Amino acid sequence: MSVIFSRSCEYALQAVMYIAMQPRNQMVLLKEVAEKVNIPKHFLGKILQKLAKSGLLDSQKGPNGGFALYETPNKITALMIVEAIDGFDLVNKCVAGFPECHREDPCPFHEEWAMIRNNIKEMLEKETIEKLMQDAKEGKRIPFLKPGYLTK
Amino acid sequence: MSVIFSRSCEYALQAVMYIAMQPRNQMVLLKEVAEKVNIPKHFLGKILQKLAKSGLLDSQKGPNGGFALYETPNKITALMIVEAIDGFDLVNKCVAGFPECHREDPCPFHEEWAMIRNNIKEMLEKETIEKLMQDAKEGKRIPFLKPGYLTK
DNA sequence: CTAATTAAAGACATATAAATATTTATAAGA
DNA sequence: TCTTATAAATATTTATATGTCTTTAATTAG
């Protein structure tokens, strides 16, 4: 298998990027996100609820309701999203699955993995939603990016 | 979730380490590995079969049968084990799950992740079974390591 | 107050990984 | 050849993640 993030977490990252790219003056519908980013609607609903409970998104029921970023894009990092959905077990769990592996009593992989784990964490902290949007403007692919977005 | 390796893969790494630490002049029983490393026996059986088919282990049925390393410990790397069990999707798959992400048309995470992925790969290549055993002798914890091992 | 719109919640279904149990095939030794 | 020890193969169960469907609750507009 070799997965880093769960499917839910991948969806969360993509959905937040999509929401961030919409005009800030109105909320974005679950239906719209689901269709544009191609995620099962009710499954996505639960993911966005979780992000809302974690304080990353705002959500409103009823007409004109929907989802929006709770903070400005420069305050939301990929790490926050990952932690909200998957938890960041990567930080604690032994990469080789040894049950009692920790710094004072490390397995043979421990130190090497600690470095990599740290790289991952730093990378995810550095990637704010703002930066991801910037990247998109510079041509990095975000499949659901509307053609007109760059010129807006 | 945030998993790097599947449970099977963790078991594979641990089991190979265990086998490597046994005397080379006889085969190691599935039953013994399962008990000492604390892995469900039949589940482990399938994992070891897979390692045998991949050419990492030798296996023999019947009395005096069991499993053994097919190569000397310095020829077997953690990467080989991971690839045999999980495949190394890490190499190909987009970390954020974008379906059509590749080098010529990368998502915003692509380059950062490529570096980390490479670090992981290099680390796993560097960790031969021999080195892991060396580490164990230097005090790195391997829970199923027999107390007497260091002085043998 | 009523109807319409939307997210939230809960129940259910499916897919996959993990674990367990049973049967079969192979080799060794008496 | 017969029995025993062992891995290999197969079938079954359980757990968890993912996906779907239905109902409920909240909000707005009229």
Side-chain angles (χ1 to χ4, degrees), chain B residues 16-17 20 69 73 76-77 81 127-133:
Chain B
V16 172
M17 284 192 232
L69 301 189
I76 302 178
T77 67
I81 297 168
E127 296 287 351
T128 62
I129 294 300
E130 186 178 46
K131 182 168 175 307
L132 293 170
M133 290 166 71

Side-chain angles (χ1 to χ4, degrees), chain B residues 1-19:
Chain B
M1 259 196 333
S2 283
V3 171
I4 294 290
F5 304 132
S6 68
R7 185 88 56 102
S8 299
C9 190
E10 293 176 356
Y11 287 161
L13 287 166
Q14 297 184 16
V16 172
M17 284 192 232
Y18 180 86
I19 291 169

Side-chain angles (χ1 to χ4, degrees), chain B residues 63-123:
Chain B
N64 311 321
F67 293 89
L69 301 189
Y70 193 78
E71 304 263 20
T72 52
N74 65 325
K75 295 243 182 81
I76 302 178
T77 67
L79 183 61
M80 289 173 179
I81 297 168
V82 170
E83 282 184 322
I85 302 299
D86 275 355
F88 203 63
D89 272 9
L90 229 48
V91 174
N92 314 305
K93 227 198 116 217
C94 172
V95 70
F98 285 114
E100 316 221 337
C101 171
H102 41 289
R103 192 145 63 89
E104 304 82 47
D105 192 7
C107 84
F109 288 96
H110 194 90
E111 274 139 44
E112 302 274 8
W113 182 247
M115 287 173 57
I116 289 170
R117 169 163 55 201
N118 225 45
N119 291 344
I120 295 176
K121 197 170 177 189
E122 278 168 11
M123 187 270 266

Side-chain angles (χ1 to χ4, degrees), chain B residues 35-88:
Chain B
E35 279 167 7
K36 293 294 179 55
V37 189
N38 197 32
I39 302 174
K41 182 178 149 188
H42 296 294
F43 191 37
L44 179 60
K46 284 168 207 163
I47 293 167
L48 297 189
Q49 274 172 50
K50 218 168 178 181
L51 293 175
K53 280 183 188 149
S54 308
L56 298 178
L57 295 182
D58 187 18
S59 83
Q60 289 296 324
K61 290 179 185 177
N64 311 321
F67 293 89
L69 301 189
Y70 193 78
E71 304 263 20
T72 52
N74 65 325
K75 295 243 182 81
I76 302 178
T77 67
L79 183 61
M80 289 173 179
I81 297 168
V82 170
E83 282 184 322
I85 302 299
D86 275 355
F88 203 63

